[in-house]
Amino acid sequence: QLLGSLAHELKTPMTSIIGYSDTLLHVRINEEQQKKALTHINNECRRLERLSGKMMNLLELYNNETIHMEKHPVRQLIGKVAELEKYHLKEQGITLETRSDDTVLLMDMDLMESLLVNLIDNAMKASKEGDTIYVEAAGTCILVEDHGRGIPAEEIPKITEAFYMVDKSRSRSEHGAGLGLALVSRIAKLHDTKIHYESESGKGTRVYFDMKAGALDEK
């Protein structure tokens, strides 16, 4: 389970790193753009290094010393996730629309990035080329919504079980391991919140959670 979880978490940042490195190799860009691409690659490699330790903690193999709850503007979180998913979305021909206010929340930024990346990745798998995924943060509530295949009602209680896949043949063809939502649930629990899923086959899915327990006055 640990190896599967780590492999699952590697996919999105690696797509981003490959995208930026391809740009450096094949596109003529100015020095400022080169520096931006190299900075992004460096930041993502460092995030993966931190994330490996945090994943060990989530799987209860070690203590929680590497998990750091700090004040972060939710706008910063949404912006980082949008940048991380940039190349993955482009590959799939899917648009990401984001909206956020200036609420400050108590969170482990690395883990919350991982949580949202997993939710967006699931939304991408359910969507088709040309579709739009919406991420909205208002107050202490964060929402991820798509208008893709949806989830049958009888499957919703099972989707957070480790290794469970709604569409097994499709998930395997996309190299899925059925670990994403299980990890999302663990991260949410660590932040004293719970993920809520609303879905209808053929119409899409709404996933939301309230960070009320960790909300902080910006002042």
Side-chain angles (χ1 to χ4, degrees):
Q1 188 179 12
L2 171 62
L3 291 173
S5 298
L6 290 175
H8 179 91
E9 292 305 304
L10 280 171
K11 288 190 295 184
T12 295
M14 290 304 294
T15 298
S16 181
I17 289 167
I18 290 167
Y20 275 98
S21 61
D22 279 346
T23 297
L24 288 170
L25 287 169
H26 304 299
V27 180
R28 296 185 66 179
I29 56 178
N30 60 41
E31 186 175 345
E32 183 180 349
Q33 291 170 320
Q34 289 177 5
K35 185 176 180 180
K36 181 180 178 181
L38 286 169
T39 298
H40 182 88
I41 290 170
N42 183 269
N43 288 341
E44 284 310 302
C45 288
R46 291 181 183 277
R47 190 177 81 89
L48 285 172
E49 184 179 40
R50 295 193 304 271
L51 196 58
S52 63
K54 294 172 193 289
M55 285 296 128
M56 301 279 273
N57 289 330
L58 285 176
L59 293 168
E60 300 173 351
L61 298 180
Y62 294 99
N63 58 34
N64 288 335
E65 290 178 0
T66 65
I67 296 173
H68 301 292
M69 296 294 188
E70 299 175 339
K71 300 178 185 179
H72 294 286
V74 70
R75 189 184 301 275
Q76 179 185 356
L77 169 66
I78 302 301
K80 289 183 73 174
V81 169
E83 183 66 22
L84 181 59
E85 290 282 34
K86 179 179 176 181
Y87 281 99
H88 198 179
L89 289 157
K90 186 177 180 181
E91 282 185 343
Q92 303 296 321
I94 295 171
T95 300
L96 179 68
E97 287 193 10
T98 65
R99 183 185 302 172
S100 59
D101 58 21
D102 296 318
T103 302
V104 174
L105 299 173
L106 185 66
M107 68 179 90
D108 182 298
M109 180 66 86
D110 292 325
L111 292 181
M112 285 304 297
E113 285 178 33
S114 182
L115 184 152
L116 285 179
V117 162
N118 274 295
L119 293 181
I120 293 169
D121 283 350
N122 274 338
M124 276 194 275
K125 290 173 184 176
S127 302
K128 62 183 183 302
E129 186 175 355
D131 282 355
T132 300
I133 296 168
Y134 304 88
V135 177
E136 182 174 345
T140 59
C141 188
I142 300 177
L143 166 75
V144 177
E145 182 175 12
D146 68 74
H147 298 289
R149 294 194 306 270
I151 305 167
E154 66 275 11
E155 303 284 349
I156 292 177
K158 307 173 188 175
I159 59 177
T160 58
E161 297 174 6
F163 305 107
Y164 185 81
M165 292 175 277
V166 175
D167 186 340
K168 295 178 177 59
S169 60
R170 187 181 182 95
S171 294
R172 290 194 184 101
S173 71
E174 294 167 346
H175 307 291
L179 283 162
L181 295 184
L183 292 175
V184 163
S185 292
R186 285 180 177 266
I187 294 170
K189 185 177 181 180
L190 188 67
H191 287 79
D192 295 320
T193 188
K194 184 177 180 180
I195 310 294
H196 301 276
Y197 299 89
E198 296 176 355
S199 188
E200 189 173 346
S201 292
K203 294 189 177 181
T205 302
R206 287 168 52 90
V207 184
Y208 60 93
F209 56 98
D210 194 332
M211 294 280 286
K212 197 169 185 178
L216 292 171
D217 189 327
E218 192 171 1
K219 297 178 183 179

